[in-house]
Amino acid sequence: MLTRKQFELLRFIHERLKESGVPPSFDEMKDALDLRSKSGIHRLITALEERGFIRRLPNRARAIEVIKLPESVGHGVMAGGRARGFTPSVIEGNLGRVRPPAPQEEDSARPVAVPVMGRIAAGTPIEAIQTKSSVVNVPPELLSAGDHFALEVRGDSMIEAGILDGDIALIRRSENAETGDIVVALVDEEEATLKRFRRRGASIALEPANASYEVRILPPNRVRIQGRLVGLMRRY
């Protein structure tokens, strides 16, 4: 299943390759999808690459190859080198917005059951991630490509990032992170914490989003990334 933005980007790249044989620039992709920064494009491209829809060609700047296309919005594979049921995009003007895809099939709109793996500290460190304790039903549009789990947030160290005590954090499993990502970090294999990830020379910084808390600077061998934050659920 692809998210709407992933589908729009795949379609935009496909159409540009058909028209000119050259993939669009990151600025063109950003403008076409009405995103504020190119970092969002990087994340979408990585997700499409991990799902096997595109491939970045080595030793060629900006070179992207479309490997397969969805049979319908969010589903499908190539058959015999052709995409079945794929409706080409219509670009409004040279770099306008991609028109929204057709409505998804009913099944693709059903909530996804995501396992809740215990609590995560956004403040004073607590115990490491536990085993599955329950499930939460999540709208598919809140999730990205890949495997996900959920954690209940405890603490207030990320309140300036809009993450509050009691929120359910939706996490995409990943062992890697880019500077600026909010991640689940396992420190010394003992404590799990939700913080913003940054590299500082040879060290790793785990930054809170609350001036009352200090940044933790740690060597890489003490930190293991377990996932990236992709969404939040909150009950009022």
Side-chain angles (χ1 to χ4, degrees):
M1 181 179 66
L2 297 181
T3 66
R4 177 173 173 175
K5 287 296 185 184
Q6 289 166 4
F7 177 85
E8 290 179 353
L9 180 60
L10 178 63
R11 188 168 60 175
F12 183 57
I13 294 171
H14 173 71
E15 289 300 309
R16 181 58 63 86
L17 286 170
K18 279 176 52 179
E19 292 171 2
S20 64
V22 178
S25 68
F26 281 90
D27 283 324
E28 290 171 335
M29 297 181 208
K30 176 176 68 71
D31 292 341
L33 271 68
D34 196 28
L35 298 180
R36 293 183 178 180
S37 70
K38 289 186 284 188
S39 63
I41 294 297
H42 282 284
R43 286 192 290 271
L44 291 172
I45 286 177
T46 297
L48 289 172
E49 192 173 26
E50 290 175 348
R51 293 294 304 277
F53 286 96
I54 65 172
R55 178 173 61 189
R56 282 182 274 199
L57 302 179
N59 303 320
R60 292 175 59 187
R62 268 184 48 203
I64 297 174
E65 177 184 16
V66 175
I67 300 173
K68 64 182 181 181
L69 298 170
E71 289 182 351
S72 60
V73 179
H75 297 276
V77 296
M78 292 286 283
R82 295 181 58 193
R84 295 174 293 166
F86 181 78
T87 303
S89 62
V90 179
I91 307 300
E92 301 171 352
N94 266 346
L95 300 176
R97 298 183 185 178
V98 180
R99 290 183 186 172
Q104 296 190 25
E105 296 175 1
E106 183 178 350
D107 286 348
S108 66
R110 291 179 180 173
V112 178
V114 175
V116 179
M117 305 299 289
R119 295 176 177 178
I120 184 73
T124 303
I126 57 175
E127 65 272 19
I129 296 173
Q130 304 164 4
T131 56
K132 174 182 172 182
S133 60
S134 61
V135 297
V136 60
N137 292 320
V138 179
E141 59 267 22
L142 291 183
L143 304 175
S144 58
D147 295 329
H148 297 78
F149 61 93
L151 293 165
E152 183 181 355
V153 176
R154 280 288 173 257
D156 61 357
S157 71
M158 297 300 290
I159 58 174
E160 292 172 16
I163 303 170
L164 308 181
D165 184 74
D167 285 353
I168 297 296
L170 303 175
I171 308 296
R172 179 183 177 275
R173 293 185 188 274
S174 176
E175 296 179 355
N176 303 303
E178 298 178 4
T179 289
D181 287 342
I182 295 176
V183 303
V184 172
L186 190 61
V187 179
D188 295 331
E189 300 295 328
E190 294 179 352
E191 62 186 59
T193 188
L194 188 69
K195 293 292 183 291
R196 195 174 297 279
F197 172 91
R198 295 194 190 279
R199 296 192 182 277
R200 292 193 180 181
S203 300
I204 289 175
L206 299 178
E207 296 182 353
N210 184 334
S212 299
Y213 292 82
E214 295 182 355
V215 177
R216 298 181 71 183
I217 309 295
L218 300 165
N221 63 349
R222 293 184 58 192
V223 179
R224 183 157 63 92
I225 303 302
Q226 299 214 306
R228 305 183 191 183
L229 180 73
V230 297
L232 287 172
M233 297 184 68
R234 180 175 301 155
R235 180 175 296 170
Y236 289 94

